[in-house]
Amino acid sequence: MKQIALYGKGGIGKSTTSANLSAALGAKGLDVLQIGCDPKRDSTRMLMHGAWIQTVLDLVRERGEDTISIEEVVREGFAGVRCVEAGGPEPGIGCAGRGIIATFRLLEQLGALHGDVIVYDVLGDVVCGGFAMPMREGYAEEVYLVTSGELMSLYAANNIAKAVARLAKRSKPTCSLAGVICNAKNMAGEEDLVREFARRINSEMVAYIPRSRTVQLAEVHKQTVMEYAPDSEQAAVYRELAGRIFANDQTSTPTPLEMDELEDLALQFAEI
C-alpha cells in the first residue's frame, strides 16, 4: 500500500490536485482512499459531485466514537474513490489539528485504512502537531509538496520540507520527500523556478500542472477534471502524475533553504 501526503499552502490548489490524482488512480482500477485533513472539509467535494460529506469530528462531537459506523465515515465517490473528511472545531474554538488526530484514531478502530493508495490532503500553511501527524506517525510515508512559483507558496513548501527533514533525523524515520508538484499560476519563468527550488532542496519536480479553464469548468459542474473532461489535455496531465506517483520509489531527505536563499532564488527568476 502506498501512503502519500500532499502538503501545500492554503489556496494553492492542493485539494483540486489531490481529487484529480485520486480520480486518475481510481480510474486505473486501484483501490483509493482520500482523506481530507483540512477544517474546510472540501478535499473530496468534487469526487462526491459537490456533496459536503459529514466530517469525522462532527460525528464524534455529536455521538462519541463508540456508535459511529464505517459507512457513516467513509463515502464512495467517483471512480470508486473512498472519501473521508476529518473536519475541524467550531470557528474560533479549539485546535484544527485535533480533528486529524481524532480521525486517524477512529479510522484505525474501524479498519478503514487499507487499499492500494491512501492520499492524505493536508493543509500546509502551518505544520503544527496535528497537521504534521500524517508524516510524524508514519501514515504518510511519501510527502509531495504542492507549490506555485509565488514566493509565499514556496515559503510554505520550504517550511514543510523543514518538518520532513527534522522527522528524518529520528532513530526511526517515518516519512521522506517524494517530490515537488508545480500547480502553476502561469507566471513567467515559473516552471524553471520550481524545478530549481526542487533541486536545491534535494528533490525533483515530478509534475508541472498548467493553469487551465477546464479545471474551473469541471468544478462549476461539481466534478473532477477526470470525470468532466477525460479526454482533455488537463486530464492527461493528472493521468501522467498518477502514473508517476504510483510507480515512484525514489525519495530523499530534504535540504530546506534559509529565507534569504529562498528570496534570492525567487529574485533570479523574477522579471523586473
Side-chain angles (χ1 to χ4, degrees):
M1 180 171 67
K2 287 184 77 73
Q3 298 192 84
I4 69 170
L6 274 64
Y7 276 84
K9 180 180 179 294
I12 195 58
K14 181 176 66 294
S15 293
T16 298
T17 303
S18 297
N20 280 287
L21 168 63
S22 292
L25 290 166
K28 290 176 175 287
L30 298 171
D31 181 3
V32 182
L33 172 65
Q34 179 165 324
I35 304 176
C37 302
D38 189 323
K40 295 195 301 296
R41 68 181 181 125
D42 61 350
S43 175
T44 62
R45 191 165 172 244
M46 295 303 105
L47 289 163
M48 296 298 302
H49 299 126
W52 297 90
I53 63 177
Q54 194 163 22
T55 72
V56 171
L57 204 57
D58 282 345
L59 286 166
V60 170
R61 269 197 300 261
E62 291 171 11
R63 305 201 335 242
E65 297 181 4
D66 295 340
T67 62
I68 299 173
S69 68
I70 193 169
E71 290 78 18
E72 292 174 293
V73 173
V74 183
R75 304 286 296 278
E76 185 173 319
F78 173 70
V81 176
R82 292 176 293 124
C83 301
V84 175
E85 290 286 353
E90 296 177 22
I93 302 174
C95 168
R98 289 184 62 83
I100 298 174
I101 296 169
T103 295
F104 284 29
R105 183 172 61 236
L106 182 59
L107 291 175
E108 284 191 326
Q109 290 174 2
L110 295 173
L113 293 176
H114 63 83
D116 297 311
V117 184
I118 299 181
V119 177
Y120 301 93
D121 174 13
V122 194
L123 180 65
D125 289 87
V126 291
V127 191
C128 72
F131 292 117
M133 184 185 178
M135 51 183 172
R136 191 185 68 243
E137 300 300 327
Y139 292 99
E141 298 165 339
E142 302 172 23
V143 174
Y144 288 88
L145 306 178
V146 182
T147 185
S148 68
E150 295 173 318
L151 179 60
M152 294 315 296
S153 178
L154 291 168
Y155 175 76
N158 194 59
N159 269 348
I160 299 157
K162 287 181 181 179
V164 176
R166 188 172 296 113
L167 291 170
K169 293 178 182 178
R170 302 198 307 183
S171 58
K172 291 185 178 180
T174 52
C175 68
S176 54
L177 183 58
V180 178
I181 298 169
C182 179
N183 197 40
K185 297 289 187 182
N186 284 2
M187 299 165 52
E190 185 172 26
E191 183 174 0
D192 290 337
L193 168 57
V194 175
R195 192 182 304 279
E196 179 62 13
F197 167 74
R199 188 190 70 79
R200 292 205 191 178
I201 64 169
N202 193 34
S203 188
E204 63 175 336
M205 189 175 78
V206 297
Y208 175 81
I209 303 175
R211 195 172 184 85
S212 170
R213 189 164 182 266
T214 305
V215 175
Q216 297 169 314
L217 290 173
E219 291 184 347
V220 167
H221 286 85
K222 300 179 181 179
Q223 296 175 359
T224 62
V225 170
M226 300 306 302
E227 181 177 12
Y228 174 75
D231 297 324
S232 65
E233 291 183 5
Q234 196 73 2
V237 171
Y238 291 124
R239 208 171 282 119
E240 182 178 352
L241 172 63
R244 183 157 188 182
I245 285 179
F246 190 67
N248 184 34
D249 59 2
Q250 300 295 315
T251 61
S252 65
T253 299
T255 54
L257 305 177
E258 298 297 329
M259 189 59 194
D260 58 346
E261 294 177 307
L262 187 62
E263 290 175 336
D264 288 344
L265 175 62
L267 187 60
Q268 288 178 31
F269 289 85
E271 285 194 354
I272 300 176

